[in-house]
Every structure is written in C-alpha cells, then in structure tokens.
Amino acid sequence: MSPSHIYTAYDEELKYLMRRITEMGGLAEQMVGDSVRALVNSDAALAQKVISDDVIMDAAEREIGDKAIITIARRQPVAADLREIIGALRIANDLERVGDLGKSNAKRVMAVQATGVPRKLARGLEHLSELAMIQLKEVLDVYNTRSAEKAKSIRDRDEEIDAMYTSLFRELLTYMMEDPRNITSCTHLLFCAKNIERIGDHATNIAETIYYMTTGAQPEGERPKDDMTSSFGAVTE
Amino acid sequence: MSPSHIYTAYDEELKYLMRRITEMGGLAEQMVGDSVRALVNSDAALAQKVISDDVIMDAAEREIGDKAIITIARRQPVAADLREIIGALRIANDLERVGDLGKSNAKRVMAVQATGVPRKLARGLEHLSELAMIQLKEVLDVYNTRSAEKAKSIRDRDEEIDAMYTSLFRELLTYMMEDPRNITSCTHLLFCAKNIERIGDHATNIAETIYYMTTGAQPEGERPKDDMTSSFGAVTE
C-alpha cells in the first residue's frame, strides 16, 4: 500500500480487501486439509463441510470483486494502489479455484469409499496435501509482508510437490494394474492428486501476483514447474 | 463500451483490448482442435505446435493485463467502461487457461502413442472437443455482440459437454478394466477428456463475465454444470 494517499477511508478499503483475502486463504488451506482427511477416513460429513465451505469461498470472491471495482471507481488509484487492487482480484480468483479443487476432492469421497484408500496411498496423498498447504500458508504470509524476494523464491520451487505427485501417479497406476477392481477408485484418487498438484500451481500464481503488486513487473524467466507425468509411458525411440 | 466518454484515443484503447481478446479466443479454439487431432493421429509435430502456441497465449494475457492497467490508470474509468476493462482481464485469464489445457493435452500425445487411441474413444474425444470449440466460438461471438441474454443462455447449458464427458469417462474405465495394458494410455486420455470438460467451464466463466460486463450484475441462480463423474462408483446404500 503506498503511503502517499491521504484518505483514511481509502486505507480502510484497501485493508478490508487484504483482510478478506487473508480469510479466504485461511479457509482454502483448511479445505485442502479437510478434503484429504475426508478421503483418507471415508468421512462423508467432513466432505459435506468442504462442499459447504466452497459456497463461502465463491461468495467471498464475488464480494472482493465488487468491493475492488467500487474502490477503483471511487478512488481512481494509480501505480502501486491500482496494482494492489488488481492483485486482490487475481488472488481472490486463485483462492476461489483452490476452493473448487478442495470441493472436487470432497465430492470423490463416496466413490473412493467403495474400496477405501490403501495406507501407502493415503500417506502419499496426505504428504502431497501438506506440501500444498505449506505453500499456501507461505504465500499468504508473503502477501502480508509483501516481500518480492520471498514471492520469487516460492515461485521458484514448486518442484517438491511435482516430484511427490509424480511418485503418487506411478503408484496409482501400479495399483490399477495389479487388480482391475482398484481402477475406479484409483482413477478418482488420480484426479485428487492432480487437484492437489494444481493447488500448488495456484500458490505459484499468487506468488507471481504478489511479485507484480510489489514491483510492478512480472517475475522473469520460465516458470519452473510443470506436470512431469504427462509423458509417462511415452515410447522413447 | 459506454457512448458517454469523448476521448477517441480511449475508444481505441478499449477496441484494442477487444481485438486482442478476440485473437486470443481464435487461437484458443484452434489449440483445442489441434491438440485433439494430435492425440488421435499421434501427430508429434502438431502437438509441438500447440505447445508453442501456448507461449503466444501467455504473452497475450500479460500484454492485455499491462494494457488494461495502463488504461485504468490513465483514463480513470467508472461504471460500464471500468467493467469493460476488468472483464477483459478476466476473459484473458480464462482464455490463457484454455491454452494451458490444450497444451496439457498436446503434451500427452507421446504417452498415448504407445497404444494409440482406439477408434471409438477417438470419436468420443473429437466429439467432446467439437462441443467445447462450439461453446468457445459462441461465447466469443457473444463477447462481440454483448448480448446479456445470449451470455446467460450459454451459461445455462454446459450439460451437453458434461454428459459427453461422463460417457467417455465410463468408456475409458471399461477399456482399462478389459486390459491392464491400456491403463497408462487411458489414464492420459482421462486427463485429456477432463481438460476438455474444463474448457467448457472456462467458456461458461467467460459467459458470466460478459453478463457482468453488460449488466453490472452476476447471473442469478446456481451454475448448472458440474462434473457428474465424481460420484461414479460410489456405494449407494
């Protein structure tokens, strides 16, 4: 937030946006953890809670969007203040999508319940979701401190999640090949793992947005992360 | 675009944003079609083209974002003009993600090549992608005509894509169960089908944004679309 403007009500509006983003981030983190707990424990009630939480996330994104536009129209911000508000819109959008991914996992709880989640896969999913939650938490901390340096370092390491996802992907394929009765539930777990990997991508998006808010520039260089599984099984001649 | 403002240069700026969005939309459509053609024909060169096209999409989104912010800072728009610019940001974001999904499909071409795509599945994927491309095309037409009514009607029918996706999902599971050697490539095709279904979701997002740009309101009522496969295989007691 630039110190140059003098309207206290305006400061309040910017602070309000920041607070709402932080709340959305907290709920997003919780939804990710809850959805994986629901999957691993076949907990339909917890899954239902995640699905309800997503309604709150959607409403929060809409409210932040409306407030942001009113603030732009009323205050006519430029430079850092304008980037602050546009950044809030983008971050709210990424967090809303994290909520969608949590909901998508929660909705698969009943389908996976049929066979349950083998212990080893459960641990893999839990580990993957922990990594995603840590990344979300760190990126929200950076949102509050506005360190461009830290934002860049989060963006530069999404590899841990990707490596974990790749190993889960292989393991799920193995389970499917061992016993065709695992195919349906493992397919759902594959989508769940992919959802969590995508949550990591959204954390990276948010880090990029914070870098932009703070510096006015896009972080340089190719984004290092990518889904390494897409060539898995490829014929290499 | 509101007829009230008098700056011709400003009109030009808004028209420029519209033109760039339309170009992004055209490329997005093409990427979706190309990626499925590459999959079905194991065409590595076409897949590589889609992957290169995604770089153009990323650059276009960044450019639209930069231009939009400069326009807001310079022209201090309110009401319809401000919604126009914020809408352009949102639509560029959805189109960029459509490009990502096309790229994700293209990157699976080599992995699927190992077993090839059975004719029936190929037809299913082609049909699904045609539906997604029609939806993208229609939503871009609505973007140019700004009909809130038509935007709402696109949003209200994403069901055809969802039904087609559900049927492909079932079919892919059947192939996997029939022969474990199909599991790896069918897993990639599952992700491809899901990617195309998500392209339909982005078209719906864009329709909602156009409705908002035109009316200043969010379309009412729950969004009808949802992934129907997430409970597939669930124990129903």
Side-chain angles (χ1 to χ4, degrees):
Chain A
M1 215 178 294
S2 116
S4 58
H5 55 72
I6 47 162
Y7 307 97
T8 326
Y10 182 16
D11 283 335
E12 282 307 314
E13 283 169 22
L14 293 184
K15 271 188 202 147
Y16 179 82
L17 286 178
M18 272 189 72
R19 198 165 59 239
R20 293 290 284 138
I21 295 274
T22 306
E23 283 167 10
M24 274 189 91
L27 184 53
E29 254 177 72
Q30 193 187 308
M31 288 172 74
V32 176
D34 284 350
S35 73
V36 171
R37 254 191 307 282
L39 274 168
V40 165
N41 304 322
S42 295
D43 185 338
L46 189 56
Q48 196 48 57
K49 182 183 170 296
V50 175
I51 293 167
S52 312
D53 283 345
D54 188 54
V55 178
I56 302 175
M57 291 293 274
D58 290 350
E61 192 209 359
R62 269 199 300 279
E63 194 224 332
I64 289 170
D66 289 345
K67 281 275 191 322
I69 285 173
I70 291 171
T71 304
I72 295 176
R74 192 188 289 163
R75 308 297 180 183
Q76 318 258 316
V78 293
D81 285 341
L82 179 54
R83 290 202 304 273
E84 173 79 26
I85 299 171
I86 297 289
L89 281 175
R90 283 197 201 158
I91 294 172
N93 183 254
D94 276 297
L95 290 174
E96 189 269 333
R97 289 180 200 237
V98 170
D100 282 345
L101 294 166
K103 180 172 90 167
S104 165
N105 283 357
K107 288 175 71 183
R108 295 180 190 275
V109 165
M110 299 308 284
V112 169
Q113 202 180 22
T115 52
V117 182
R119 183 186 286 271
K120 201 177 166 196
L121 289 178
R123 265 209 292 266
L125 275 177
E126 281 165 347
H127 188 192
L128 191 65
S129 69
E130 277 156 23
L131 291 176
M133 282 188 290
I134 289 171
Q135 234 193 346
L136 271 178
K137 196 181 154 31
E138 285 184 3
V139 87
L140 289 163
D141 288 347
V142 173
Y143 177 67
N144 285 308
T145 59
R146 300 301 159 89
S147 158
E149 244 353 276
K150 275 196 190 146
K152 202 160 175 307
S153 83
I154 288 180
R155 173 185 176 268
D156 284 348
R157 59 139 187 69
D158 192 29
E159 287 96 354
E160 214 180 337
I161 289 185
D162 291 335
M164 187 70 217
Y165 167 67
T166 303
S167 120
L168 251 176
F169 180 91
R170 281 166 192 269
E171 205 152 336
L172 281 161
L173 289 195
T174 309
Y175 272 89
M176 288 161 121
M177 286 171 193
E178 272 169 14
D179 187 345
R181 284 170 301 180
N182 293 331
I183 286 177
T184 303
S185 65
C186 282
T187 295
H188 288 294
L189 292 176
L190 262 177
F191 278 118
C192 291
K194 180 72 190 168
N195 285 342
I196 301 171
E197 188 255 356
R198 285 171 58 204
I199 289 168
D201 290 347
H202 286 291
T204 309
N205 288 347
I206 295 173
E208 289 186 354
T209 300
I210 297 167
Y211 185 89
Y212 162 80
M213 289 162 86
T214 317
T215 65
Q218 308 288 342
E220 269 171 52
E222 184 72 8
R223 212 162 129 161
K225 49 113 246 103
D226 226 337
D227 180 350
M228 317 268 279
T229 64
S230 44
S231 58
F232 184 78
V235 191
T236 41
E237 287 163 84
Chain B
M1 216 178 292
S2 118
S4 59
H5 54 74
I6 47 162
Y7 308 97
T8 326
Y10 182 15
D11 283 334
E12 282 308 312
E13 283 169 24
L14 294 184
K15 271 189 204 147
Y16 180 82
L17 287 178
M18 272 189 71
R19 199 165 59 237
R20 293 292 284 139
I21 294 273
T22 306
E23 283 166 9
M24 274 189 92
L27 184 53
E29 255 177 72
Q30 192 187 310
M31 288 172 75
V32 176
D34 284 348
S35 74
V36 170
R37 252 189 309 281
L39 274 168
V40 165
N41 304 323
S42 294
D43 185 338
L46 189 57
Q48 197 47 56
K49 182 183 171 297
V50 174
I51 293 167
S52 311
D53 283 345
D54 188 54
V55 179
I56 302 175
M57 292 293 274
D58 290 351
E61 192 208 0
R62 269 198 300 279
E63 194 224 331
I64 289 170
D66 289 344
K67 281 277 191 319
I69 285 173
I70 291 170
T71 305
I72 295 175
R74 192 188 289 164
R75 309 296 180 181
Q76 317 256 317
V78 294
D81 284 342
L82 180 53
R83 291 201 306 271
E84 172 79 26
I85 298 170
I86 297 289
L89 281 175
R90 283 197 200 157
I91 294 173
N93 183 254
D94 276 297
L95 290 174
E96 188 270 333
R97 289 181 200 238
V98 170
D100 282 346
L101 294 165
K103 179 173 94 167
S104 164
N105 283 357
K107 287 174 71 183
R108 295 181 191 275
V109 166
M110 299 308 284
V112 169
Q113 202 180 22
T115 52
V117 182
R119 184 185 284 272
K120 201 177 167 195
L121 290 178
R123 265 210 292 268
L125 275 176
E126 282 167 345
H127 189 192
L128 191 64
S129 69
E130 277 156 24
L131 292 176
M133 282 188 290
I134 289 171
Q135 235 193 348
L136 271 178
K137 195 180 155 32
E138 285 185 2
V139 88
L140 289 163
D141 289 347
V142 173
Y143 176 67
N144 284 308
T145 59
R146 299 302 160 88
S147 158
E149 248 349 278
K150 276 197 189 143
K152 203 161 175 306
S153 84
I154 288 180
R155 173 184 176 266
D156 284 348
R157 57 138 187 72
D158 192 29
E159 287 97 353
E160 215 182 334
I161 289 185
D162 291 336
M164 187 71 218
Y165 168 67
T166 302
S167 120
L168 252 175
F169 180 90
R170 282 166 192 268
E171 205 152 336
L172 281 161
L173 289 194
T174 309
Y175 272 89
M176 290 161 122
M177 285 170 194
E178 273 170 13
D179 187 343
R181 284 170 299 180
N182 294 331
I183 286 176
T184 303
S185 64
C186 283
T187 296
H188 288 295
L189 293 176
L190 262 176
F191 278 118
C192 291
K194 180 72 189 167
N195 285 343
I196 301 172
E197 187 254 357
R198 285 171 59 205
I199 288 168
D201 290 348
H202 286 291
T204 309
N205 287 348
I206 295 173
E208 288 185 355
T209 299
I210 297 168
Y211 185 90
Y212 162 81
M213 289 163 86
T214 317
T215 64
Q218 308 287 342
E220 269 170 52
E222 183 74 10
R223 211 163 129 159
K225 48 113 248 103
D226 225 337
D227 180 350
M228 316 270 277
T229 63
S230 44
S231 59
F232 185 78
V235 191
T236 41
E237 288 163 83

